[in-house]
C-alpha cells in the first residue's frame, strides 16, 4: 500500500490520473475538537488492479500540498467519484474554495437506480461488488501516525471497491436514460451556500418551540455571536455554548455576569471572559433594537390550508410512482412538499426537472381533479375523471 507524503508524489499520481476517465476519492477526517473538519487522510484510485492504481495521501505531512489534487479537480475530462460527497466537498471548499468537476456521487446514483434512500457504501459494495467492508477502523483516530495496517486497508477499500460500484451505476444510468437526473441532483452539492454558514442566519438551525419575534431576535444575535466566535477560534459550536443553553439565554435575557451565573445550562467557562461579554452584548443589541428589525419565521406547512384527503391521495400516488420508477420516495418528493401541493402551492421541487416527468405532472392532474386513483391487484392505477 503506497502512501504519498510529498507534493511531488501527489503531482505524479494526479498527472497519471488525468489519463483515465475517472478517479475515485474519499477522505478521513476529525471534527470533534474543531469547527472546521481536519483532513487526516485522502484516498484515491484509478481504474486498474495494480497496487499503484490506488494510493493513500498524507495531508499532515510537512512536505505535502494538495494543489496537484485541485488541478485534477479542474480537469473536466476526468470524472471525480465520491460516495456521499457532501462532507468531503465541505473540506475542499473550506480549504481552497474549489469543487471537483465533473462530480459523480454514488449515493445519489444508487437512489436513482433503486437501491433505496441514502444507501450506505457497505451495502452497495456487498450488493454490487460482492465484497465485505471491514468497519472496525471507521472510528479510529486518523490524525495519529503511523497509521496501522488495518487503517490503511480500511481506507483503501473506500476507493478500490468504489470503482466497481461506479462502473455498475454508470452503466445502469445509461441503460435507463437517467444520467441527467444524477447530474441535476449533484449540482446542489456544489452550491457554496450549503457550506458557508452566515452568522446572522445561524439561528435558523436551532430548534425551538417559541415563535415570538422578539425571542427569535435574541436567538439570532446569540447564534450569530456563537458562530463567529467558533469560526475565528476553530472550535466546535458546542464548546462556546450548546443549543439548549442558547434557548435558555434567549428566554432569561441576562444583562449582567451575575445573571449569567444563575444559568442552569451554560458552561462554566462561558460565564466569564470573552464568551460572557459576547452573550451580554447580544442581549444588549436586541434590547436596543426596533421591533421592525426582529426576524420572522416563514409560513410553515401546518399553517397552510392543507386538504388532508388530497394530501393522503398524493402520498399514495408518490408510493406508486416510486415503486414504478424504482426511485426512492424521498428523492422524488418530501412529505412537506406533498402538504404544500395539497394546499395549492406550486413552487416545489417535485414539479421541476425529472421529478415533473416521474411524479409532478400526474400529481398536478390529481390536484386539479382530472384523474383519480384506483387499485387493481397490488397496483395503484390512475383513471381519467
Amino acid at each position: 500500500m503506497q502512501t504519498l507524503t510529498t507534493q511531488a508524489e501527489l503531482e505524479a499520481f494526479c498527472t497519471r490520473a488525468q489519463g483515465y476517465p475517472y478517479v475515485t476519492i474519499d477522505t478521513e477526517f476529525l471534527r470533534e475538537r474543531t469547527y472546521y473538519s481536519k483532513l487526516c487522510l485522502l484516498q484515491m484510485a484509478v481504474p486498474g488492479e495494480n497496487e499503484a492504481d490506488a494510493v493513500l495521501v498524507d495531508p499532515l505531512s510537512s512536505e505535502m500540498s494538495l494543489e496537484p489534487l485541485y488541478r485534477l479537480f479542474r480537469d473536466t475530462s476526468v470524472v471525480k467519484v465520491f460516495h456521499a460527497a457532501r462532507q468531503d466537498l465541505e473540506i475542499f471548499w473550506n480549504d481552497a474554495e474549489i469543487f471537483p468537476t465533473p462530480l459523480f456521487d454514488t449515493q445519489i446514483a444508487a437512489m436513482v437506480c433503486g437501491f433505496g434512500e441514502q444507501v450506505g457504501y457497505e451495502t452497495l459494495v456487498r450488493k454490487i461488488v460482492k465484497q465485505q467492508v471491514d468497519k472496525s477502523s471507521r472510528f479510529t483516530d486518523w490524525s495519529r501516525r503511523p497509521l496501522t495496517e488495518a487503517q490503511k486497508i480500511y481506507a483503501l477499500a473506500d476507493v478500490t471497491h468504489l470503482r466497481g460500484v461506479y462502473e455498475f451505476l454508470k452503466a445502469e444510468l445509461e441503460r435507463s436514460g437517467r444520467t441527467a437526473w444524477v447530474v441535476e441532483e449533484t449540482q446542489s452539492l456544489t452550491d457554496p451556500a450549503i457550506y458557508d454558514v452566515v452568522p446572522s442566519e445561524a439561528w435558523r438551525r436551532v430548534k425551538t418551540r417559541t415563535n415570538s419575534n422578539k425571542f427569535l431576535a435574541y436567538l439570532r444575535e446569540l447564534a450569530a455571536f456563537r458562530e463567529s466566535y467558533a469560526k475565528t477560534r476553530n472550535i466546535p459550536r458546542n464548546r462556546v455554548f450548546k443549543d439548549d443553553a442558547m434557548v435558555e439565554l434567549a428566554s432569561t435575557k441576562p444583562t449582567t455576569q451575575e445573571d449569567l451565573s444563575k444559568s442552569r445550562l451554560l458552561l462554566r467557562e462561558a460565564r466569564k471572559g470573552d464568551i460572557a461579554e459576547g452573550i451580554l452584548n447580544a442581549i444588549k443589541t436586541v434590547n436596543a433594537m426596533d421591533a421592525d428589525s426582529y426576524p420572522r419565521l416563514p409560513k410553515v406547512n401546518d399553517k397552510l390550508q392543507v386538504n388532508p384527503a388530497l394530501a393522503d391521495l398524493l402520498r399514495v400516488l408518490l408510493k406508486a410512482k416510486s415503486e414504478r420508477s424504482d426511485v426512492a420516495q424521498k428523492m422524488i418528493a418530501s412529505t412537506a412538499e406533498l402538504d404544500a401541493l395539497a394546499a395549492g402551492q406550486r413552487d416545489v421541487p417535485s414539479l421541476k426537472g425529472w421529478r415533473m416527468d416521474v411524479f409532478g405532472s400526474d400529481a398536478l392532474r390529481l390536484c386539479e381533479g382530472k384523474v383519480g386513483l384506483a387499485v387493481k391487484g397490488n397496483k395503484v392505477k390512475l383513471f381519467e375523471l
Side-chain angles (χ1 to χ4, degrees):
M1 290 175 285
Q2 186 179 6
T3 301
L4 312 183
T5 59
T6 69
Q7 180 177 346
E9 291 172 335
L10 179 59
E11 180 82 57
F13 183 83
C14 289
T15 300
R16 180 168 170 247
Q18 289 180 291
Y20 291 89
Y22 71 86
V23 56
T24 57
I25 304 171
D26 190 38
T27 66
E28 306 297 341
F29 56 88
L30 296 178
R31 196 171 189 171
E32 290 80 5
R33 297 184 293 273
T34 57
Y35 180 89
Y36 297 104
S37 296
K38 179 182 180 181
L39 180 61
C40 298
L41 191 68
L42 180 73
Q43 306 96 277
M44 303 173 66
V46 295
E49 298 297 331
N50 297 323
E51 286 187 6
D53 295 327
V55 297
L56 303 175
V57 180
D58 187 356
L60 302 183
S61 169
S62 60
E63 299 181 57
M64 178 59 69
S65 165
L66 295 183
E67 185 52 38
L69 174 70
Y70 297 147
R71 283 198 292 272
L72 178 61
F73 280 2
R74 298 184 188 100
D75 187 343
T76 57
S77 69
V78 183
V79 178
K80 292 79 181 178
V81 182
F82 293 78
H83 180 82
R86 179 165 175 163
Q87 288 183 303
D88 303 310
L89 299 187
E90 182 179 12
I91 292 172
F92 301 131
W93 176 254
N94 286 331
D95 183 54
E97 294 191 349
I98 188 171
F99 293 118
T101 307
L103 170 68
F104 188 100
D105 190 320
T106 55
Q107 186 176 71
I108 292 175
M111 293 170 71
V112 171
C113 292
F115 284 89
E117 297 169 1
Q118 296 183 324
V119 59
Y121 177 67
E122 293 83 3
T123 300
L124 290 181
V125 171
R126 186 177 67 254
K127 291 185 175 181
I128 295 174
V129 188
K130 312 301 181 186
Q131 296 289 331
Q132 296 291 330
V133 176
D134 181 5
K135 304 177 185 178
S136 60
S137 296
R138 173 179 293 177
F139 299 111
T140 57
D141 185 349
W142 292 99
S143 67
R144 297 187 64 179
R145 295 295 184 269
L147 295 173
T148 66
E149 288 300 300
Q151 285 178 306
K152 292 180 180 180
I153 291 171
Y154 168 86
L156 273 182
D158 280 347
V159 288
T160 53
H161 297 321
L162 190 56
R163 295 177 295 197
V165 171
Y166 165 69
E167 290 174 2
F168 175 88
L169 293 174
K170 178 176 180 290
E172 280 293 295
L173 292 170
E174 291 173 351
R175 181 191 61 78
S176 62
R178 296 178 177 181
T179 301
W181 296 14
V182 174
V183 172
E184 183 181 329
E185 291 306 299
T186 305
Q187 286 175 347
S188 65
L189 291 175
T190 56
D191 178 3
I194 67 176
Y195 306 107
D196 292 335
V197 181
V198 178
S200 61
E201 294 296 309
W203 67 277
R204 299 184 187 276
R205 299 187 177 199
V206 182
K207 293 182 180 179
T208 175
R209 296 179 181 178
T210 305
N211 295 330
S212 159
N213 294 334
K214 188 169 185 179
F215 172 86
L216 294 177
Y218 287 114
L219 199 68
R220 181 182 62 188
E221 297 305 317
L222 288 165
F225 162 70
R226 182 180 72 170
E227 200 71 26
S228 298
Y229 189 91
K231 269 187 175 183
T232 55
R233 290 160 178 78
N234 195 22
I235 60 174
R237 297 178 184 90
N238 286 347
R239 284 268 303 277
V240 185
F241 45 79
K242 297 182 179 180
D243 284 2
D244 56 358
M246 188 190 306
V247 172
E248 180 192 48
L249 292 168
S251 299
T252 58
K253 302 176 279 294
T255 57
T256 66
Q257 285 201 357
E258 183 180 355
D259 292 338
L260 288 179
S261 68
K262 299 174 184 177
S263 169
R264 295 184 303 108
L265 302 174
L266 196 62
L267 296 172
R268 183 175 300 174
E269 295 79 6
R271 302 182 187 194
K272 57 186 178 181
D274 292 343
I275 297 179
E277 184 179 348
I279 292 171
L280 297 178
N281 283 338
I283 300 300
K284 183 178 180 181
T285 297
V286 179
N287 289 342
M289 190 180 293
D290 187 274
D292 291 338
S293 300
Y294 296 164
R296 287 167 175 77
L297 287 176
K299 288 184 177 181
V300 293
N301 285 342
D302 61 2
K303 293 183 179 179
L304 298 177
Q305 297 300 311
V306 177
N307 181 329
L310 179 55
D312 288 342
L313 287 174
L314 286 168
R315 284 166 173 74
V316 174
L317 178 65
L318 175 61
K319 186 175 187 300
K321 292 292 186 178
S322 172
E323 291 175 352
R324 186 173 303 171
S325 62
D326 210 15
V327 177
Q329 289 187 47
K330 287 185 179 179
M331 192 168 189
I332 299 173
S334 67
T335 300
E337 282 182 57
L338 299 183
D339 288 341
L341 285 171
Q345 290 192 0
R346 296 296 179 258
D347 185 19
V348 294
S350 53
L351 299 183
K352 300 174 183 177
W354 63 268
R355 292 178 175 84
M356 186 66 169
D357 297 329
V358 172
F359 169 76
S361 59
D362 283 334
L364 280 178
R365 294 170 70 208
L366 183 65
C367 291
E368 293 165 0
K370 295 179 179 179
V371 296
L373 301 179
V375 177
K376 187 174 182 179
N378 60 352
K379 300 291 185 182
V380 174
K381 303 279 188 179
L382 275 79
F383 62 90
E384 300 291 332
L385 292 175

